[in-house]
Amino acid sequence: MALASSLSRDGGAPTVDGEDSEDVWRPDGKGRRGSEDDCDYDMYGKVYKFDTGSSDIVMAYVSFGGLLLSITGSYGHLTNVVLGDPVYVLLRK
């Protein structure tokens, strides 16, 4: 299992035909291929809640269209997780 903020292999926002594009993947197959080719299953979601506890432990909540994920970790490891940001879960067998 891997978490990513983009399907782009270089981690940045990809460009298609000189225009900025938010997603690498397109249902018609015309987009540039990304990290989804390396996994068996991938999901797109958004961070909808971020809780800071009384100590260094924080929790980020991600919704994948009804499937919910809670990530718990130290503040230092979750500093790049921002409310409203996209999250991709990439799974392999």
Side-chain angles (χ1 to χ4, degrees), residues 1 3 9 11 14-16 18 20 22 35 41 44-45 49 51 59 62 64-65 74-75 82 84 86 93:
M1 180 175 141
L3 296 174
R9 291 190 188 276
T15 58
V16 178
D20 289 337
E22 290 183 4
S35 299
Y41 190 76
Y44 169 79
K49 187 177 177 182
D51 284 338
M59 294 179 72
V62 185
F64 298 95
S74 69
Y75 179 78
V82 179
K93 290 182 182 177

Side-chain angles (χ1 to χ4, degrees), residues 16-89:
V16 178
D17 298 328
E19 296 181 11
D20 289 337
S21 174
E22 290 183 4
D23 298 321
V24 175
W25 181 87
R26 287 179 44 180
D28 58 8
K30 294 181 181 178
R32 291 199 293 164
R33 305 310 298 170
S35 299
E36 75 277 5
D37 286 341
D38 300 333
C39 67
D40 298 312
Y41 190 76
D42 55 283
M43 295 183 294
Y44 169 79
K46 285 201 172 200
V47 178
Y48 71 92
K49 187 177 177 182
F50 194 81
D51 284 338
T52 56
S54 59
S55 62
D56 191 34
I57 302 299
V58 296
M59 294 179 72
Y61 299 91
V62 185
S63 174
F64 298 95
L67 180 64
L68 304 177
L69 171 69
S70 170
I71 304 170
T72 304
S74 69
Y75 179 78
H77 289 111
L78 295 174
T79 55
N80 292 333
V81 178
V82 179
L83 190 66
D85 275 0
V87 175
Y88 295 90
V89 171

